[in-house]
Amino acid sequence: LRYAGYSRVAGVDEPASPVHWGWQCARRGAEGARWAAREQAAVAAAQDYYDLLGVSRGADARELKRAYRQMARKFHPDVNQDAGAEDKFKEISNAYEVLSDEQKRSIYDRYGEAGLKNGMGGMGGPGMDFTNPFDLFETFFGGNMGGMGGRATNRNRPMQGEDERYELQISFSEAVFGCEKELECVRLEECESCTGSGMQQGTAPSTCVTCGGTGQVVTTARTPLGNFQQVATCPSCGGQGQTFTPCASCAGDGRVRRTKLINLRVPPGVDTNSRLRVRGEGNAGRRGGPSGDLYVFILVRGDSELVRDGINIQSTVTVPYTDAILGTTVDVNTVDGEVELKIPAGVQPGATLLMKGRGVPKLSAPTQRGDHYVVVKVSIPQKLSKEERAKVEEIRALSG
């Protein structure tokens, strides 16, 4: 299982890598809905998102929405047949998706597109998945192309399943060195009774009498400015254009909730709020669409002695004042077990000693490890025996 953690482990600075993304787009033709998988290589220098939408860097949410509406209408491939219009339409969708999200926009403003791809600020990585641009367009304009005269969207097209979330708690040591875990996940899977169709066996769908199979109803309202037509999803068929007898097992959804055991490899170096992505293990899609993904959020239990700071570890060791003066060797508890540490003579209280390479592996380069820092505390007795006091006074006289 491949790691695609959202959290960026402190100290890890990854160079931007080529990014590939898949677009599943709804294209409507005489034979109804069909999906076409498209893959496009990311260009070396992507156009600035603000420039794509034609807004300033200080644009607010209202300006962004207005700019997206104008640009999306202009470059939608059902309206604009020019070469490159569809690619431009996708870029506009990506730009709006990032700039309309406060967290993504903040990362983009600081690090650019590379920051989003490399998972800075806790965002996903490597790479970043964008919403289907045609789905985003429909949330603004609905299925009637915003009054542009386009064709109604076929709502019977395959739909990807929803993502699922799972919170996994692991020990300090497991986070440092990685581990294998078996997850018991509850998710929606294809209904075996109707094979995902949602229809009762032995029945067939019929054309919706309310919308005539279009999936939409048109209402007309008279206004002082003339008649105004509004297109809405058909309330009888939910926009599918068909009605049917629902399956008794899944109540027409085409999916039922089941439990599945999933084996997960947790890579070395994860930390609390790290996110692991397990592709295709989310909820099943509808009407033959692909399954969603499973996102596993990590919670690391603390250690009684060791404190983590990114890829480095810190702990404390207490030595008697005599050992602080004369020097000694102590055993220090590390993630690798007990390791001898030399305390130099004359060490001062609060001094920090380095144990190189005894820290946490880098998440993206597990062969590279951080360091372990040991803070020295000096124990000074509150009471001395007569003999001890005499010796200390003798030392003071000698050093005086």
Side-chain angles (χ1 to χ4, degrees):
L1 297 174
R2 178 171 170 264
Y3 173 77
Y6 263 36
S7 286
R8 173 177 178 268
V9 177
V12 179
D13 289 313
E14 292 294 331
S17 60
V19 177
H20 296 270
W21 68 90
W23 293 104
Q24 292 183 324
C25 18
R27 307 300 298 144
R28 298 162 295 281
E31 299 179 358
R34 66 187 179 195
W35 286 84
R38 291 178 175 269
E39 182 179 18
Q40 175 182 354
V43 293
Q47 187 173 351
D48 183 83
Y49 285 164
Y50 292 97
D51 291 342
L52 278 169
L53 295 178
V55 297
S56 67
R57 289 191 168 267
D60 58 19
R62 181 176 298 181
E63 292 178 90
L64 290 171
K65 285 184 178 180
R66 183 168 59 247
Y68 170 76
R69 284 177 177 272
Q70 293 174 350
M71 298 296 287
R73 284 171 179 258
K74 180 179 178 181
F75 289 99
H76 194 288
D78 279 354
V79 175
N80 191 327
Q81 303 298 322
D82 294 343
E86 183 169 345
D87 291 338
K88 186 77 170 180
F89 175 72
K90 294 175 182 178
E91 293 171 359
I92 292 166
S93 172
N94 296 349
Y96 177 76
E97 182 176 347
V98 170
L99 299 184
S100 61
D101 184 291
E102 291 185 5
Q103 185 181 8
K104 294 177 183 177
R105 183 174 180 176
S106 175
I107 295 171
Y108 178 78
D109 288 343
R110 292 183 63 188
Y111 305 107
E113 193 173 356
L116 297 168
K117 295 174 181 177
N118 292 335
M120 294 181 178
M123 297 303 298
M128 176 182 170
D129 292 330
F130 290 103
T131 300
N132 185 320
F134 296 96
D135 289 343
L136 178 61
F137 186 86
E138 283 186 33
T139 64
F140 274 83
F141 301 107
N144 68 333
M145 294 289 292
M148 295 189 294
R151 296 160 289 179
T153 301
N154 188 334
R155 298 184 183 273
N156 287 319
R157 69 169 190 246
M159 293 180 62
Q160 182 170 355
E162 304 86 353
D163 296 330
E164 277 289 341
R165 176 190 178 103
Y166 188 98
E167 293 185 356
L168 176 63
Q169 191 175 88
I170 59 178
S171 69
F172 191 92
S173 178
E174 288 174 330
V176 172
F177 296 111
C179 59
E180 298 280 344
K181 290 290 182 179
E182 188 176 67
L183 313 182
E184 185 175 310
C185 301
V186 180
R187 62 182 190 170
L188 291 171
E189 296 184 359
E190 185 181 275
C191 176
E192 296 178 354
S193 299
C194 64
T195 63
S197 68
M199 291 185 292
Q200 186 68 30
Q201 279 189 331
T203 65
S206 58
T207 301
C208 176
V209 296
T210 303
C211 63
T214 64
Q216 298 173 330
V217 291
V218 181
T219 58
T220 303
R222 292 184 178 181
T223 70
L225 300 177
N227 292 339
F228 177 76
Q229 285 191 332
Q230 184 176 5
V231 180
T233 300
C234 175
S236 300
C237 65
Q240 296 186 26
Q242 296 177 332
T243 57
F244 55 86
T245 302
C247 170
S249 299
C250 64
D253 184 65
R255 305 176 299 176
V256 292
R257 194 163 291 278
R258 292 195 181 95
T259 300
K260 181 181 179 180
L261 296 179
I262 297 174
N263 292 319
L264 174 70
R265 185 185 67 82
V266 179
V270 296
D271 203 352
T272 292
N273 294 327
S274 290
R275 189 174 87 163
L276 308 181
R277 181 182 186 182
V278 188
R279 293 184 182 273
E281 294 294 352
N283 292 319
R286 287 189 172 92
R287 295 181 288 278
S291 297
D293 299 327
L294 173 65
Y295 288 97
V296 181
F297 289 80
I298 302 297
L299 177 62
V300 181
R301 295 191 295 271
D303 187 88
S304 59
E305 296 183 38
L306 308 179
V307 177
R308 180 171 172 178
D309 180 16
I311 61 172
N312 296 320
I313 292 176
Q314 182 176 313
S315 66
T316 60
V317 63
T318 302
V319 297
Y321 73 101
T322 51
D323 287 342
I325 296 172
L326 301 174
T328 187
T329 299
V330 296
D331 290 330
V332 176
N333 186 27
T334 72
V335 293
D336 299 311
E338 286 193 349
V339 177
E340 283 192 350
L341 174 65
K342 182 179 180 181
I343 306 294
V347 67
Q348 299 299 304
T352 300
L353 304 180
L354 172 66
M355 302 180 74
K356 193 169 181 62
R358 297 287 183 179
V360 180
K362 276 190 175 182
L363 192 57
S364 56
T367 58
Q368 301 177 28
R369 293 179 61 176
D371 302 319
H372 186 144
Y373 294 91
V374 181
V375 178
V376 179
K377 290 185 177 181
V378 178
S379 174
I380 300 176
Q382 294 180 339
K383 293 182 179 181
L384 296 175
S385 64
K386 290 183 179 180
E387 292 80 2
E388 288 174 330
R389 187 175 185 84
K391 292 294 182 182
V392 171
E393 288 178 349
E394 183 179 340
I395 294 173
R396 183 170 63 179
L398 290 173
S399 61

